[in-house]
Amino acid sequence: MEGVPFVDLYPQYSELKNDIDAALEQVLKNSWFIGGKPVFEFENALAASVGTTLAVGVANATSALWLTLKALGIGPGDEVITTPLTAFPTAEAIMLNGANVVFADIEEETFQISPAEIERKISPRTKAILPVHLYGIPVNLPRIQEIATQRNLPVVEDCAQAQGAEILGKRVGSMGVAGCFSFFPSKNLGCWGDGGAVCTNVESIARFVRMFANHGRLEKFTHEIPGANERLDALHASVLRIKLTKLDEWNAKRRVIADYYSEKLSKIEEVRTPKTYENTTPVWHLYVIRAKDRDKLAKHLKEKGIGTGLHYPLPLHLQPAMGGEQRRGELPVVEKATQEILSLPMYPHLPLEGAKRVVQEIENFYVHKS
Ligand SMILES: Cc1ncc(COP(=O)(O)O)c(C=O)c1O
């Protein structure tokens, strides 16, 4: 095996080509492209998979988060606590509602938001906690729920990177008041464009999200509130319905690769492998190490044809939209982590040979210094 791409999505289609082609043809035959049966069928299958009573398909996870927070009545003057190590949309969804983002620093070993830091950041203006199951590693939700329950605060789970992950046998997205999912193509359950969903047991949240995402209506010509167009398309839903049947198998394949990386790389002194919490089943959307001389290692791997990524190069509080460099020093753990993290190739169809090549080249860089 020569080069190893960071991600390769085509094998997902090859594996399911016949079923996907037939499902797409059915949508084309019906020519009903917005909402309808494929969307409802997928929503039902998704709710069953996540373990909630309700699921609402939306345009992407940014909409899912934005509308869930809106459904909770979060607006100007309110604060929502989240992690600074996440994709920008997590914070953006809070700001889209006019609320303030409050960052709680991460835990060094797991990269996940620290419950102790959440507790420290709670103020009378705090209206929700928004933990992210980052990289597909479930956060310490039991402890976060405890903190939230004591203060009567809702927990909204950002599950964009963690479809299928579990805590004590329960799927992420089923334990907070709502779980928000992304079907961005490279996610563990990805469609062929943008897609997302809100999973919840709370009828009023599902109702509000469904209504707002469809121009403020539940009936065709009755608009109860001004909303927006944030719907999931039928073509995407029909692909997702089929790919959902493979989710567990593909997540198990990711775990085999992650276990291999962890076993081999933990022997290299200059590398720290990611840790997970007890009684959780991660789904390794990304496999992220901390590496000495990270940039030089990334360059070495690139020269050898191995793709890597940075998730994320900047903690969110240092983004220009959030205050920028003048805030450096506020969140020391994440600021140090972002200088050392490196995402290695990870996708369900990555052959073990590919993972072996990655390990070999990391060993060559540190151990054999080639
Ligand atoms: C943790 C997290 N939250 C939210 C999002 C937003 O997802 P989408 O692209 O579907 O809007 C992403 C996507 O990258 C993400 O990784």
Side-chain angles (χ1 to χ4, degrees):
M1 174 158 199
E2 265 309 296
V4 185
F6 180 61
V7 66
D8 183 6
L9 301 179
Y10 191 75
Q12 295 189 8
Y13 172 58
S14 320
E15 192 179 328
L16 295 170
K17 186 177 182 326
N18 291 345
D19 290 345
I20 289 180
D21 288 355
L24 291 179
E25 199 180 342
Q26 194 57 47
V27 177
L28 293 172
K29 267 189 189 151
N30 293 342
S31 289
W32 187 286
F33 296 107
I34 309 289
K37 201 170 161 219
V39 176
F40 288 128
E41 281 183 356
F42 170 63
E43 287 174 341
N44 289 339
L46 181 70
S49 162
V50 172
T52 53
T53 49
L54 302 160
V56 182
V58 289
N60 47 61
T62 314
S63 321
L65 291 161
W66 168 42
L67 301 189
T68 299
L69 295 175
K70 194 178 280 302
L72 293 171
I74 286 161
D78 296 337
E79 291 177 355
V80 177
I81 299 178
T82 194
T83 172
L85 189 60
T86 179
F88 187 68
T90 308
E92 196 174 38
I94 300 169
M95 294 186 284
L96 279 170
N97 283 309
N100 296 325
V101 182
V102 174
F103 291 118
D105 212 340
I106 59 166
E107 290 187 332
E108 202 164 335
E109 298 291 326
T110 62
F111 301 111
Q112 308 302 313
I113 192 167
S114 152
E117 285 300 302
I118 291 178
E119 213 164 11
R120 221 167 58 76
K121 294 294 178 85
I122 288 175
S123 85
R125 290 175 300 281
T126 307
K127 289 291 169 335
I129 302 173
L130 176 43
V132 178
H133 303 287
L134 191 75
Y135 308 151
I137 299 174
V139 296
N140 186 351
L141 201 59
R143 180 65 195 123
I144 294 172
Q145 296 271 42
E146 223 171 67
I147 295 166
T149 306
Q150 280 162 7
R151 282 134 179 122
N152 210 12
L153 291 170
V155 174
V156 175
E157 297 174 69
D158 182 337
C159 306
Q161 300 189 2
Q163 187 94 45
E166 292 182 359
I167 301 172
L168 287 161
K170 281 190 172 173
R171 294 260 156 130
V172 301
S174 68
M175 292 164 274
V177 293
C180 298
F181 292 86
S182 171
F183 308 129
F184 185 84
S186 60
K187 294 291 197 278
N188 290 40
L189 178 64
C191 63
W192 293 348
D194 280 308
V198 176
C199 291
T200 183
N201 296 318
V202 182
E203 172 74 40
S204 58
I205 293 178
R207 186 179 190 278
F208 179 87
V209 172
R210 192 178 289 291
M211 186 161 72
F212 194 99
N214 192 17
H215 303 293
R217 68 182 162 184
L218 292 171
E219 302 295 333
K220 191 165 183 191
F221 289 117
T222 311
H223 301 267
E224 297 179 36
I225 52 168
N229 181 350
E230 301 293 331
R231 299 174 299 224
L232 177 68
D233 291 333
L235 280 168
H236 290 319
S238 65
V239 172
L240 288 166
R241 174 84 182 83
I242 291 163
K243 287 177 85 177
L244 185 58
T245 62
K246 287 281 174 182
L247 176 71
D248 294 345
E249 186 185 319
W250 288 351
N251 279 342
K253 287 184 171 183
R254 288 175 184 269
R255 276 194 290 277
V256 171
I257 297 160
D259 289 348
Y260 177 78
Y261 278 151
S262 291
E263 189 210 323
K264 299 291 177 191
L265 297 178
S266 56
K267 295 182 183 135
I268 303 175
E269 203 181 308
E270 292 88 345
V271 172
R272 280 163 73 189
T273 53
K275 302 283 178 289
T276 60
Y277 298 99
E278 255 177 50
N279 300 316
T280 63
T281 310
V283 291
W284 302 110
H285 172 59
L286 295 166
Y287 186 89
V288 178
I289 56 168
R290 292 178 76 136
K292 186 162 177 272
D293 295 327
R294 186 264 318 266
D295 293 340
K296 285 187 189 153
L297 173 64
K299 185 165 170 279
H300 170 81
L301 293 174
K302 189 173 176 205
E303 283 164 6
K304 299 293 175 186
I306 294 169
T308 60
L310 287 184
H311 301 88
Y312 295 87
L314 258 193
L316 291 191
H317 66 295
L318 302 184
Q319 285 288 349
M322 314 245 27
E325 280 302 319
Q326 64 185 11
R327 293 184 68 182
R328 194 172 281 279
E330 261 181 42
L331 300 163
V333 184
V334 73
E335 287 171 24
K336 184 156 187 292
T338 47
Q339 287 164 14
E340 297 171 0
I341 50 182
L342 189 67
S343 312
L344 303 182
M346 171 57 81
Y347 52 95
H349 297 82
L350 172 62
L352 201 57
E353 275 310 302
K356 281 184 185 165
R357 276 260 308 137
V358 176
V359 169
Q360 231 168 40
E361 283 307 334
I362 297 176
E363 283 171 353
N364 283 344
F365 180 76
Y366 288 117
V367 188
H368 314 304
K369 314 271 185 207
S370 76

